[in-house]
């Protein structure tokens, strides 16, 4: 039987790679994001019966409602929800960070994820579905400038674990995916469009690719129904931990 997956943030990076991998694997895919033309291109490629484009700003509750209530009949039986849309803005340490950037990060990474999950839970319970949430290694390992972004991802991880607990006995599976360095548009967005900074970050690092993460999600979605991956932390081989920092008082 053909299954249906809803992927937020399907216009770029992980979400776009997931949309393609699931469509190619024969799933019905609902892809969201603000850039409608990118969603349309995927729909043109795979056909309207395989890919449904739902273009809206994830922070806009009314637009989310409208997109869900106007799903074509054949896309309504959602089996898998991937809460992927998200961003970081800037990497300034807290004393120099802009409050506006912090609030946008929280309003993008946290509230819509909770809202969409709450809306789709009855359907996911009915269908013994799967929820995959995109957290990050930043949820576990703090780094200078990670501040609010890392905190939003810690929320995503903990919410995922809490959902697992609350969904005990329902058959619904929940996974928190926690990737490290992966080359997508993430750094372009984080730096306000600085392609050179993005290229410099990934140069020579052999970062993860969006297809690596999409492949992991496809694997999880195809596991037998009694298997739950609680958390999946994935880094490129080139990335590991440096340790803590120590400030020494120059007066002593
Ligand atoms: P990209 O910037 O490549 O893609 C982000 C996606 O999120 C886009 O499709 C974008 O769509 C969507 N999005 C962002 N803001 C909004 C909004 N307001 N409304 C609707 N959609 C929105 O980043 P990644 O693919 O790398 O990131 C995907 C997820 O993975 C994020 O949650 C990120 O935090 C997480 N992650 C990324 C890592 C990395 O190193 N790349 C590592 C760990 C986690 P559009 O702009 O068209 O609206
Ligand atoms: C993105 C990975 O290390 O830039 O979540 O925070 S990192």
């Amino acid at each position: 039987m053909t299954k249906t997956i809803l992927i937020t943030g399907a216009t770029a990076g992980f979400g776009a790679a997931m949309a393609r991998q699931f469509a190619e694997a024969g799933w019905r895919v609902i892809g969201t994001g603000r850039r409608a033309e990118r969603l349309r291109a995927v729909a043109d490629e795979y056909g309207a019966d395989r890919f449904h484009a739902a273009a809206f700003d994830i922070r806009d509750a009314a637009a989310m409602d409208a997109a869900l209530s106007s799903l074509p009949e054949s896309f309504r039986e959602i089996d898998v929800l991937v809460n992927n849309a998200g961003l970081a803005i800037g990497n300034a340490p807290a004393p120099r960070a802009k409050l506006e950037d912090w609030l946008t990060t929280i309003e993008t990474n946290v509230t819509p994820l909770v809202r969409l999950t709450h809306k789709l839970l009855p359907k996911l319970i009915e269908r013994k579905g799967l929820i995959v949430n995109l957290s990050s290694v930043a949820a576990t390992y703090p780094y200078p400038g990670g501040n609010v972004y890392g905190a939003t991802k810690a929320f995503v991880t903990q919410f995922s674990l809490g959902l697992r607990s609350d969904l005990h006995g329902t058959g619904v599976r929940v996974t928190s995916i926690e990737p490290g360095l992966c080359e997508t548009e993430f750094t372009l967005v984080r730096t306000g469009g600085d392609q050179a900074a993005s290229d410099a970050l990934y140069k020579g690092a052999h970062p993860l690719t969006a297809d690596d993460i999409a492949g992991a999600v496809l694997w999880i979605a195809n596991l037998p129904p009694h298997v739950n991956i609680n958390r999946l932390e994935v880094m490129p081989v080139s990335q590991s931990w440096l340790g803590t920092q120590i400030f020494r008082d120059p007066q002593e």
Side-chain angles (χ1 to χ4, degrees):
M1 198 185 58
T2 306
K3 289 194 165 183
T4 302
I5 183 168
L6 188 157
I7 303 164
T8 67
T11 59
F14 301 161
M18 281 183 245
R20 290 178 189 286
Q21 288 200 20
F22 276 84
E24 274 159 28
W27 288 60
R28 266 192 213 100
V29 179
I30 303 160
T32 85
R34 287 165 296 184
R35 287 169 286 182
E37 70 290 352
R38 291 198 182 189
L39 297 175
R40 266 197 306 272
V42 186
D44 287 346
E45 192 177 337
Y46 292 101
D49 53 349
R50 178 109 315 166
F51 184 87
H52 176 73
F56 61 93
D57 188 322
I58 199 101
R59 294 167 296 177
D60 182 339
M64 183 189 286
D65 278 349
L68 290 178
S69 55
S70 61
L71 285 175
E73 191 69 38
S74 59
F75 285 85
R76 290 203 177 149
E77 299 300 298
I78 296 169
D79 300 286
V80 179
L81 165 64
V82 184
N83 284 309
N84 164 74
L87 47 63
I89 308 177
N91 46 23
R96 287 195 277 111
K98 290 190 193 139
L99 177 60
E100 188 190 321
D101 291 346
W102 278 2
L103 296 178
T104 302
T105 305
I106 295 167
E107 285 156 12
T108 306
N109 295 0
V110 175
T111 308
L113 183 149
V114 167
R115 178 174 286 123
L116 186 56
T117 303
H118 192 266
K119 283 186 186 305
L120 293 184
L121 259 186
K123 178 58 72 185
L124 291 165
I125 291 170
E126 180 193 315
R127 297 187 69 73
K128 297 190 191 308
L130 165 68
I131 301 167
V132 177
N133 292 328
L134 260 296
S135 175
S136 165
V137 293
T140 305
Y141 312 109
Y143 59 88
N147 45 62
V148 163
Y149 175 71
T152 64
K153 293 303 175 178
F155 177 95
V156 172
T157 293
Q158 200 60 25
F159 182 55
S160 306
L161 297 176
L163 279 173
R164 271 281 283 140
S165 195
D166 286 354
L167 292 167
H168 185 78
T170 63
V172 176
R173 299 183 288 159
V174 186
T175 300
S176 167
I177 309 244
E178 300 165 14
L181 191 76
C182 182
E183 186 166 9
T184 60
E185 293 181 11
F186 180 82
T187 301
L188 204 56
V189 172
R190 186 171 211 169
T191 58
D194 187 340
Q195 187 65 58
S198 178
D199 292 346
L201 176 65
Y202 301 121
K203 187 167 186 290
H206 303 286
L208 298 171
T209 68
D211 272 321
D212 294 330
I213 299 304
V217 176
L218 187 60
W219 168 69
I220 288 164
N222 282 320
L223 286 170
H226 67 283
V227 180
N228 195 94
I229 305 296
N230 299 333
R231 300 172 72 162
L232 185 66
E233 186 179 299
V234 192
M235 279 180 172
V237 173
S238 62
Q239 184 179 28
S240 63
W241 309 272
L242 196 54
T244 55
Q245 52 189 343
I246 297 167
F247 173 76
R248 291 194 171 76
D249 191 333
Q251 308 303 323
E252 292 175 18

